[in-house]
Amino acid sequence: MGFHTFVICAYGRSPYLEACIRSLKAQTAETEIICATSTPSEYLEELLGKHGIPLFVREEGETGIGNDWNFAVEKAEGEYVTIAHQDDLYGRHYVEELARAAEKWPDMTVFMSDAVLIKNGKLTWGGGVELVKKLLRLPWRATGLCHLPAVKMWGLVWGNPVMCPSCAYKKSRLPKPVFSGEYDFVLDWECMRNMAERPGRFVCVEKPLLYYRIHDGAATKACMENHRREKEERVMFEKIWPGWMPDLIMKGYRLAGKNYG
């Protein structure tokens, strides 16, 4: 078993996939790179063959992002696994920072970082939404306390301030199944809440080690347009908060969602 695996979850014909691959291959520390898909194609096979990346095809089970991600995690051989979204880029020191954190905190179960947004081909600041996420992650900067369930859970009761593609999970400590097939958008939020209740430490590095691309073909954009995101977020808040609180929080989320488009 190696230290870390990037699993690219691929679908369709992303024009950004090769750039993602190149960012993974440019890492300053050693890592395994594989690709998992439930929609194989000649395009995908040729591109991965060009870069010498193994392709794993999920041929069984129900469709859905959660099932695709569970399959991806299953195929990773590293002690830590990062589900790389095919449209995003990773800073070349991502794995190096992960290894440094793992050496310092052997009980680390989730590693995460800050991100820079890419919109219309340009790096951009996410404005107030990103500032709120940073504030919610602030307790996780006190890494010495981030083995405590209450500290780990703090940021997650107000939403999900974690940039999902930035996460590296300790595979041996993940719940099974890792992700629910019930959701398309909040599945990583639910996973983080499950991890917060389990023994282990969250480590948050507030460096932009991820470049998160916003575009019309993204799954997040689709979830917003069909209101699936709003419905799933409401379900999560109703699990956490009683009475009128979910309504109040969702009003703020509707305003925040306008930032994405």
Side-chain angles (χ1 to χ4, degrees), residues 126-145:
V129 174
E130 295 307 313
L131 180 59
V132 170
K133 288 182 178 181
K134 281 180 176 291
L135 290 174
L136 291 179
R137 293 195 301 261
L138 193 59
W140 297 342
R141 298 293 301 278
T143 315
L145 300 176

Side-chain angles (χ1 to χ4, degrees), residues 15-67:
Y16 310 112
L17 176 55
E18 187 162 26
C20 174
I21 290 172
R22 293 186 185 281
S23 75
L24 305 186
K25 295 180 73 174
Q27 293 296 305
T28 57
E30 184 176 352
T31 183
E32 175 191 36
I33 305 171
I34 64 174
C35 181
T37 188
S38 58
T39 57
S41 65
E42 184 177 341
Y43 162 77
L44 192 56
E45 291 174 0
E46 288 181 356
L47 182 57
L48 295 173
K50 172 183 173 182
H51 290 278
I53 296 175
L55 174 63
F56 296 91
V57 179
R58 183 170 76 88
E59 298 176 334
E60 299 178 350
E62 298 181 6
T63 59
I65 296 175
N67 293 323

Side-chain angles (χ1 to χ4, degrees), residues 196-214:
E197 295 172 350
R198 291 167 169 257
R201 189 179 307 270
F202 286 2
V203 175
C204 179
V205 176
E206 284 295 339
K207 296 179 182 179
L209 301 176
L210 171 74
Y211 297 84
Y212 184 83
R213 194 182 304 274
I214 296 175

Side-chain angles (χ1 to χ4, degrees), residues 6-7 10 19 21 34 36 38 44 62 103 106 117 119 155-156 161 183 203 211 214 218 229 241 258:
F6 276 118
V7 189
I21 290 172
I34 64 174
S38 58
L44 192 56
E62 298 181 6
E103 182 177 5
L117 304 183
K119 188 173 182 180
L156 299 169
Y183 304 117
V203 175
Y211 297 84
I214 296 175
R229 172 178 178 172
W241 294 100
K258 295 177 181 179

Side-chain angles (χ1 to χ4, degrees), residues 161-207:
V162 181
M163 298 301 293
C164 174
S166 80
C167 288
Y169 307 99
K170 192 164 190 174
K171 185 175 177 180
S172 64
R173 304 293 287 276
L174 285 168
K176 293 184 179 180
V178 182
F179 301 103
S180 170
E182 182 180 352
Y183 304 117
D184 287 336
F185 183 79
V186 301
L187 64 173
D188 57 308
W189 182 7
E190 183 187 51
C191 175
M192 288 293 292
R193 289 185 65 230
N194 288 337
M195 293 297 286
E197 295 172 350
R198 291 167 169 257
R201 189 179 307 270
F202 286 2
V203 175
C204 179
V205 176
E206 284 295 339
K207 296 179 182 179

Side-chain angles (χ1 to χ4, degrees), residues 40-127:
S41 65
E42 184 177 341
Y43 162 77
L44 192 56
E45 291 174 0
E46 288 181 356
L47 182 57
L48 295 173
K50 172 183 173 182
H51 290 278
I53 296 175
L55 174 63
F56 296 91
V57 179
R58 183 170 76 88
E59 298 176 334
E60 299 178 350
E62 298 181 6
T63 59
I65 296 175
N67 293 323
D68 286 345
W69 287 7
N70 288 332
F71 177 77
V73 171
E74 177 188 331
K75 295 303 176 183
E77 295 185 355
E79 179 184 3
Y80 287 91
V81 55
T82 299
I83 300 174
H85 296 194
Q86 64 180 4
D87 299 335
D88 299 336
L89 303 173
Y90 287 80
R92 59 196 301 265
H93 297 291
Y94 175 90
V95 178
E96 183 179 334
E97 291 283 352
L98 169 64
R100 185 177 294 116
E103 182 177 5
K104 184 174 182 180
W105 306 104
D107 63 342
M108 181 177 72
T109 52
V110 181
F111 171 89
M112 68 197 87
S113 78
D114 194 8
V116 174
L117 304 183
I118 306 174
K119 188 173 182 180
N120 298 323
K122 298 179 180 179
L123 300 182
T124 184
W125 161 243

